[in-house]
Amino acid sequence: MNDYNLNPDTPVVVRFAHWANGVAHGDLGRTVTGGEVNDEFGRRIGVSTRLLLIATILGSIGGVLVVAWGAIRQYRMSDRVTTLASFSVLAMPVFVIAVTFKLWAIDINDAVGRKVIDRPLTNHDISEHTDDFERRWQSLTQHHANTHQ
């Protein structure tokens, strides 16, 4: 338990000080499975950055289109509906929007009768595809080496 800084006999303040000292020296600690948090942190920054860029681009394009359409149809019902919808989305916490999208995806899958919108990739899926790619690459390079000897 001491290796993971989770010993219940050690006061919380002492454990926090130990962790903060590690963070000050670039060590974020260990995961529950014993891996380095720094490695996980680096991988997850890439995923989060990709999601941020995609959401920014789609949100910007969608926002401009909705605003332009509302400006063309100013003071009509469609303008009022898009304004109300925009303010509602802005006021809503992100996790509520995420859960709503997840529930919509489940409803779409149920309505169609099969998985149209699949679950997100997990670490296991990625490592499985990576292992398969490595096996195929090794086989291809061996075949190429054998044909050119």
Side-chain angles (χ1 to χ4, degrees), residues 20-81:
N21 184 38
V23 169
H25 293 94
D27 179 18
L28 297 174
R30 299 199 169 277
T31 64
V32 177
T33 59
E36 293 287 330
V37 171
N38 292 3
D39 298 337
E40 283 292 313
F41 196 74
R43 185 183 64 76
R44 291 173 190 233
I45 282 178
V47 172
S48 296
T49 303
R50 200 171 1 167
L51 287 172
L52 175 72
L53 288 174
I54 292 168
T56 300
I57 292 168
L58 291 177
S60 298
I61 292 170
V64 168
L65 291 175
V66 168
V67 167
W69 187 61
I72 292 169
R73 303 179 58 82
Q74 192 172 17
Y75 303 117
R76 294 187 184 157
M77 184 57 81
S78 58
D79 177 40
R80 292 188 175 122
V81 168

